[in-house]
Amino acid sequence: CRACHKVDAKLVGPAYRDVASKYKGQADAEAKLIAKVKAGGKGVWGNTAMPANNLTDAEAKTLVQWVLSQ
């Protein structure tokens, strides 16, 4: 993750704080981001695609909860 993301600044992908801010208050944010982390995606933050990540559901949930706490 850290190859493309930083906590407080855009790198290749958005800063974790920007992700947390964008999804703040959305009831389905955690589930939506878990799916995106596992499957990858593009278009939300620009044209650069985020690759799929080979994580378990539990690993992805822990990661997403941390990102949303920033």
Side-chain angles (χ1 to χ4, degrees), residues 45-64:
W45 297 94
N47 292 326
T48 302
M50 181 176 79
N53 292 277
N54 186 20
L55 301 172
T56 66
D57 289 342
E59 290 167 334
K61 182 175 181 171
T62 298
L63 175 63
V64 165

Side-chain angles (χ1 to χ4, degrees), residues 14-50:
Y16 295 133
R17 288 185 182 159
D18 292 340
V19 174
S21 179
K22 180 180 183 91
Y23 290 94
K24 185 177 183 175
Q26 293 184 28
D28 64 343
E30 185 175 296
K32 188 184 298 185
L33 291 174
I34 288 169
K36 185 166 294 271
V37 166
K38 290 186 73 174
K42 71 175 188 174
V44 175
W45 297 94
N47 292 326
T48 302
M50 181 176 79

